[in-house]
Amino acid sequence: MKLRQVYISTLNGRALYYFTKLMKSYRLPYRYLLPGSDLTRSGLYLTTKGENRERLEDRVNFEDLSLDETKDILRITSAMMKTRNVEVGIDPGKRIGVAVVLGGSAVIARAYSELSDLIAFMNKVMSVFDKITVKVGDGNQEVAERILIALSEVLRKDDVMMIVSERHTTPKGKATVRKDALAAVRITRREGAVYHRGDRVFSGTNDRS
């Protein structure tokens, strides 16, 4: 699934700064377009409610954003892909790697030290997407089970949790935040067993990551 062209089309200084900062921070392609200059171009317009009024669809208004960068970049990329479904990969460990993948491309890849921070992040993902498929690696089984139990308390009925093999997902060498995040991206490409709320999937603890 290909990302659509994005046009930052506003003369509002605050909106222009924020849209540009978001797109640059997440290394997403965009072009500048003067408001009202060529509304026939196919793509997604990042604009304000008072500009480009003739373009009724395929737009994200600055006034509708939360100014929470995580929520807002997810909203923009969801509009770029024209999808309300997303995959999230999780790499359990001392640091928890997490990646949000749309159409095979990682939009967000980061790592958290605390499970509570991961859950807070997942709540933001849920605020944007109608359905989430969460894939949790099985390398550190104790942490994986804690994550699955915690997620089962916040995810919605139609969201899906899967346990997938973590074998060969973590790059070799000294553990780093970047490697944890990359492992989470690779985990999203795996298929595995669906985890049902209340299941106990590991008979004991075993760290194979």
Side-chain angles (χ1 to χ4, degrees), residues 189-202:
R189 300 170 185 158
R190 301 281 177 91
E191 295 299 323
V194 174
Y195 172 84
H196 300 284
R197 289 164 174 81
D199 286 354
R200 181 170 179 81
V201 293
F202 304 120

Side-chain angles (χ1 to χ4, degrees), residues 47 81 162:
T47 186
M81 298 291 290
M162 299 180 70

Side-chain angles (χ1 to χ4, degrees), residues 43-186:
L44 178 68
Y45 284 60
L46 306 183
T47 186
T48 66
K49 289 182 177 180
E51 298 168 304
N52 301 309
R53 292 181 179 178
E54 299 84 355
R55 191 173 183 90
L56 302 178
E57 299 178 350
D58 296 330
R59 61 184 290 152
V60 173
N61 294 320
F62 174 71
E63 295 89 340
D64 294 331
L65 297 179
S66 65
L67 301 186
D68 178 299
E69 291 190 10
T70 298
K71 287 183 180 179
D72 292 340
I73 200 62
L74 289 173
R75 178 168 181 178
I76 290 170
T77 51
S78 172
M80 289 171 70
M81 298 291 290
K82 280 192 171 182
T83 183
R84 299 285 291 173
N85 300 335
V86 70
E87 288 188 334
V88 176
I90 296 177
D91 175 39
K94 292 181 180 178
R95 281 187 303 265
I96 304 170
V98 60
V100 176
V101 174
L102 279 167
S105 299
V107 177
I108 292 176
R110 57 182 61 160
Y112 293 107
S113 298
E114 302 294 334
L115 178 56
S116 58
D117 292 332
L118 172 67
I119 298 304
F121 173 77
M122 290 302 299
N123 281 321
K124 293 180 181 183
V125 178
M126 286 191 291
S127 73
V128 175
F129 294 95
D130 294 333
K131 183 176 180 179
I132 305 171
T133 298
V134 183
K135 298 181 178 181
V136 180
D138 65 355
N140 186 319
Q141 295 179 354
E142 181 180 2
V143 177
E145 189 145 31
R146 286 172 51 210
I147 290 171
L148 289 164
I149 291 170
L151 288 175
S152 68
E153 296 177 356
V154 297
L155 292 179
R156 302 155 299 194
K157 180 181 177 181
D158 291 336
D159 295 326
V160 177
M161 290 182 285
M162 299 180 70
I163 304 159
V164 306
S165 171
E166 198 177 313
R167 189 175 179 83
H168 301 312
T169 59
T170 303
K172 294 181 180 180
K174 185 178 179 180
T176 64
V177 170
R178 183 177 181 277
K179 288 180 179 179
D180 292 334
L182 179 57
V185 173
R186 291 175 175 174

